Every structure is written in C-alpha cells, then in structure tokens.
Amino acid sequence: MQPFIHHSSSSPNTLLSFITTTTTTMSSDLSVILPRVLIVSRRTVRKNKFVDFVGEYHLDLIVSYGAVPVIVPRVSGVHMLLSSFEPIHGVLLCEGEDIDPVWYEHDSMASGLSHEELDEIRRLHASDTAIDKEKDSIELSLAKLCLERNIPYMGICRGSQVLNVACGGSLYQDIGKELSTKVMHINYDDYDGHRHGVKVVENTPLFHWFKDSLEDGEIEIKVNSYHHQGVKRLAQRFVPMAFAPDGLIEGFYDPDAYNPDEGKFIMGLQFHPERMRKPDSEEFDYPGCPFAYKEFVKAVVAYQKRLNSLTSVPKALRLNKEMENKRKIIVRSFSLAKNMYTMGREKCSSKESDLEAGAEFLESNTALSVQQEKRLKQMGATVRNAGSYVERLKLNEEREKMARNVMGKMSVEQLSDLLSFYHTMGQICSQVMEKKIEIVVNDFSS
C-alpha cells in the first residue's frame, strides 16, 4: 500500500509534502467556500526528518473537478481536533501502512498466523507493516464521521480497508499467507507497471464507468496492485463491485448511500485508478479511470449545497419602513392584550380590532412551542369571548391569497428579511410572554 515508493521521480514535482493544513477562507458566508475534501497525509523520513505528503495525482484530480483538497497532517492528537477542519464536504483516504489488527482481530475469522509467519510478512513488506497508530486513529475517526453524517467518502487502497474496518468488516493480514492464490497483488520489481485482471460486477458504479472499455460479453479490466492485505469479510452494508481471479474483493460501495447528484457517495477501491496510466505518459489506461474522482467530487459539491441550505447564517435583520410599522403594530397589539388581561376588560378602552394584528401573528408564528401557544390563546380567551377569538385566529382565505400574491412579487432577499423578522419576533414573543404569564400565574396563586 505504498504507490509512491517506486515512482519515476521523487522530486517536489511528483510528491507534495505538507506540514500544515490548507488555510480556510476568512469569509463568514459559507456559500463562497469551495467544496472541501479532507485527505490525511502519510509520514515518511527524508534527510533524517519526518515529512508528511500526499501523492500528486489525488490532488490534481480533486482540483480539476472543482474541489479543494485540505490536508490533515498525521500529527499526534489530530484525531481529537477534527472539528477544526469544518466544514467537511468530503473525505478521500488513500495509501499508507497496514491497519493495526487490534481494530479487527476480534473477528471470529481471525488469521491465526504464527509468530514465524508474521515475522516473515514483516520482512517481505517492511515498509507497509510498520503500523502507524496515529494515522489509524485519525482515519478511522474521519471514516466514522462520514458514516454518521453521510459525508461523501472515497477510499483508495488502504482507504478502502479503513472503510470496511470502520463498518465492522475484517482484513486478511497477508493475502499470500491466508488466501490460496496465484494472483500477484504486489510486484516490487515492476511496481507501477504491474497489472492483474478483475471481474467487474454488472449494474454497479464501476461497471458504468468502464462499460465503454468492456468488450462484448467481457466484464474484465486490468488494474494496478500495490497491496499485501485486503478485505476478508466485507461489512454487511456494502456490495462488491469487482473481484480478482482469486476471489479477493477489489471494489465495493454502499448502494443506499450512492447518488452523486444528491451528495451521496460511500465507496472503497483496492486499486489506484488515478495511477492507471500508460508507460511514460499521463494518458489513462481506460477512459473510465478518472470517473471515480469525477463522481466523488460531484457528490461533494452536492453535499456542500445541501449543507449550506441547512446551516446558512441568516443575514443581519434589516427592516424597511413598511416592516417597521408592522412590527410596531404587532408590539402594540401584544401590549394591549397584556393590559386587558392584567387590568380587566372593563377598565381597558381598547377595541378588539386592535388585537387582530397580534392574533394573526400568533397564528402564523412557528417559533413558539405548542404549550406556549396554548397558554397565550387561553390568555386571549379570557379578554374576549371564545368564539370571536377563535375566528380571529383562523387564517382568512382571502388574506392568505393576497399575501401569497404579494410575496410572489418579492425578491429572495426581501423574503429572507421577512422570514428573519417573523422568526425574531417569535423568539421575542416567546421569551417575554413566558415571563409575563409566569408572573400572572404566581400572582393568581398567591
């Protein structure tokens, strides 16, 4: 799981090193923030110092399809600070060392490998078996966050294994030792050039991405392979998308959480489509190779739009002259109702018509709880006969029709201001009237 190690070049042009995260925009308007995809870096030693990095192909594709990669550095304690990376619109997890078996070895199908076999595995795959517990904590936390919030998630290689483990699945600690296979899943002598066939499952996203490259009656493509571990028991929520000839699952997804147009994308690919390129060329092996990133970013963009619609910060309340007059009328109506309630109907010269604005506001307001509305209506019923009060609270059909016509001509900003006004008034009414009623009830009890 280390597709960087035998790259044709190790210059800064082919590997991007990151020590700090991408700085977010200073704007408070979430709508102007580009979709953000979190990617956890991998740590290595360079010139006797730790360096965090992410392969450039991941970053290039994320940017080319319209999102911003935000690098989460593999630093101690970061898994406790993930809220600092909000807003999170998508997560892409890719290469890295083996996942610590403690996360899945409790499985009833545990490997049972001997100490001698484990030592041999460590010698054969030395760069992968140096477990990084901190990276495990960060990535498993992110995976679980995505599953809880339905945040788009794409796992490549190790990232697919993280996803399966996070959902309760298990892994082969070593394919060569645990799975009877003649398939070579890693070839250190031909690292980037090595390919093996996989059977693509029909009617899955992977099938649709590569269908133009599949010959009549054929459902096989050749994929790269950089791993000695893989999915052993697939978590129940997932459906396989591809199998190696030895039966190893090479791709899976959650069909109930896959609809890029609606911001849904939960998927794992064992191979690296971003690195499936022809020798000495940037041309992909198949036109469908970048589609995983294309559809993933599409889901990220859709998720951001949905998130913004739920968490958008309301603009500062701006009342024009007409709305200010309405506010004063409603406030006066509540004040008169209070006087009638506390002083008695006989001692108050106000007319019932003066209370209409407040009655209509109470009927249309949605900020009050059912209990609060009930108490306010009961208070109103004591100062007016029940029949006339109920009639005033019923929304007049003609008035509703007129209101809809007027609002239909208003701009989005005007409607937003009107909604903010009613929401604010509802909160004020709820707080003030609650206190007033509490005082009256206490006085009555005493």
Side-chain angles (χ1 to χ4, degrees):
M1 290 186 289
Q2 50 161 0
F4 66 93
I5 197 166
H6 289 295
H7 196 281
S8 58
S9 171
S10 59
S11 69
N13 291 328
T14 57
L15 296 176
L16 298 182
S17 299
F18 294 90
I19 302 302
T20 57
T21 61
T22 301
T23 304
T24 60
T25 175
M26 296 300 291
S27 172
S28 61
D29 186 354
L30 295 179
S31 65
V32 303
I33 299 177
L34 290 175
R36 295 154 50 91
V37 176
L38 268 58
I39 309 177
V40 180
S41 65
R42 184 179 183 182
R43 174 160 288 188
T44 189
V45 177
R46 185 176 183 182
K47 296 181 180 179
N48 298 319
K49 289 182 172 57
F50 285 123
V51 177
D52 285 9
F53 66 91
V54 173
E56 66 173 3
Y57 285 147
H58 300 296
L59 306 177
D60 288 345
L61 287 166
I62 291 296
V63 171
S64 67
Y65 288 119
V68 175
V70 177
I71 311 304
V72 180
R74 184 242 154 276
V75 179
S76 297
V78 166
H79 67 282
M80 302 293 291
L81 305 173
L82 294 179
S83 59
S84 301
F85 292 88
E86 300 280 5
I88 302 171
H89 305 127
V91 171
L92 167 65
L93 299 185
C94 37
E95 57 266 346
E97 294 81 359
D98 294 348
I99 300 171
D100 192 336
V102 299
W103 294 106
Y104 60 87
E105 68 179 1
H106 57 276
D107 189 278
S108 59
M109 299 171 63
S111 67
L113 295 172
S114 67
H115 291 296
E116 292 76 14
E117 288 175 317
L118 291 173
D119 288 340
E120 183 181 354
I121 293 168
R122 294 187 188 101
R123 287 194 300 271
L124 289 173
H125 309 286
S127 59
D128 282 341
T129 53
I131 289 171
D132 188 336
K133 294 181 180 292
E134 195 64 41
K135 186 175 175 68
D136 286 352
S137 296
I138 297 169
E139 294 192 340
L140 285 167
S141 295
L142 275 176
K144 291 174 182 178
L145 182 67
C146 289
L147 296 168
E148 290 170 3
R149 297 192 196 172
N150 293 317
I151 299 172
Y153 176 105
M154 182 162 70
I156 302 294
C157 197
R158 169 190 158 97
S160 68
Q161 298 172 12
V162 169
L163 178 61
N164 187 49
V165 170
C167 292
S170 64
L171 305 176
Y172 289 110
Q173 287 194 49
D174 185 75
I175 298 168
K177 295 291 184 183
E178 297 182 67
L179 182 64
S180 178
T181 178
K182 294 181 179 179
V183 179
M184 183 178 288
H185 287 279
I186 190 167
N187 184 350
Y188 292 111
D189 294 328
D190 186 18
Y191 203 71
D192 268 337
H194 175 61
R195 301 284 189 272
H196 69 70
V198 297
K199 296 288 186 180
V200 180
V201 179
E202 295 187 63
N203 299 319
T204 62
L206 195 64
F207 178 83
H208 293 300
W209 298 341
F210 286 89
K211 64 181 179 180
D212 292 339
S213 301
L214 300 174
E215 299 179 5
D216 294 339
E218 293 291 329
I219 54 173
E220 182 175 297
I221 59 174
K222 297 285 187 179
V223 302
N224 50 16
S225 195
Y226 306 100
H227 60 105
H228 78 100
Q229 294 193 327
V231 171
K232 185 174 185 178
R233 181 175 58 80
L234 187 64
Q236 187 174 359
R237 67 184 293 167
F238 297 123
V239 171
M241 295 194 297
F243 293 93
D246 55 9
L248 188 73
I249 296 173
E250 292 275 347
F252 58 88
Y253 79 117
D254 183 346
D256 296 325
Y258 182 82
N259 189 327
D261 292 326
E262 295 181 2
K264 299 178 180 179
F265 193 106
I266 302 290
M267 179 180 295
L269 299 176
Q270 182 60 69
F271 59 95
H272 284 257
E274 82 285 357
R275 297 180 64 86
M276 288 171 57
R277 314 212 181 196
K278 296 179 179 179
D280 302 319
S281 172
E282 293 298 296
E283 184 181 354
F284 288 103
D285 291 357
Y286 304 96
C289 288
F291 277 33
Y293 288 81
K294 182 179 180 181
E295 295 302 289
F296 171 63
V297 173
K298 180 191 292 185
V300 170
V301 172
Y303 181 85
Q304 182 204 31
K305 291 180 179 178
R306 193 173 78 223
L307 186 66
N308 286 352
S309 69
L310 297 174
T311 61
S312 57
V313 180
K315 297 179 179 178
L317 185 62
R318 298 192 303 274
L319 301 181
N320 57 29
K321 187 175 181 180
E322 180 181 358
M323 293 180 67
E324 177 62 23
N325 289 335
K326 290 181 180 179
R327 183 190 67 81
K328 291 179 179 179
I329 293 172
I330 292 172
V331 172
R332 180 174 180 273
S333 178
F334 285 137
S335 178
L336 292 174
K338 183 260 296 182
N339 291 338
M340 293 178 70
Y341 185 83
T342 56
M343 297 171 59
R345 181 185 179 90
E346 296 77 11
K347 296 182 180 180
C348 187
S349 59
S350 301
K351 301 177 182 178
E352 289 187 1
S353 58
D354 295 331
L355 304 174
E356 289 183 356
E360 291 175 7
F361 178 80
L362 285 176
E363 182 66 17
S364 62
N365 174 60
T366 58
L368 300 178
S369 67
V370 174
Q371 182 182 11
Q372 290 168 333
E373 286 192 11
K374 182 178 180 181
R375 293 174 71 179
L376 287 169
K377 290 176 182 178
Q378 289 174 341
M379 186 185 74
T382 63
V383 296
R384 290 164 285 175
N385 67 76
S388 63
Y389 183 73
V390 171
E391 286 300 316
R392 288 187 179 87
L393 291 180
K394 290 183 178 179
L395 191 62
N396 184 278
E397 292 184 0
E398 187 62 26
R399 287 176 179 172
E400 182 181 357
K401 183 178 179 180
M402 291 175 62
R404 290 184 181 277
N405 290 335
V406 172
M407 291 183 183
K409 298 176 182 179
M410 296 173 68
S411 66
V412 173
E413 184 175 359
Q414 289 173 324
L415 288 170
S416 177
D417 288 340
L418 186 61
L419 184 63
S420 296
F421 164 71
Y422 275 98
H423 180 70
T424 302
M425 290 303 299
Q427 290 178 321
I428 295 172
C429 172
S430 176
Q431 295 168 2
V432 174
M433 295 301 276
E434 186 76 17
K435 291 180 180 179
K436 295 291 184 181
I437 292 173
E438 190 173 334
I439 293 172
V440 171
V441 171
N442 290 338
D443 291 343
F444 181 78
S445 300
S446 58

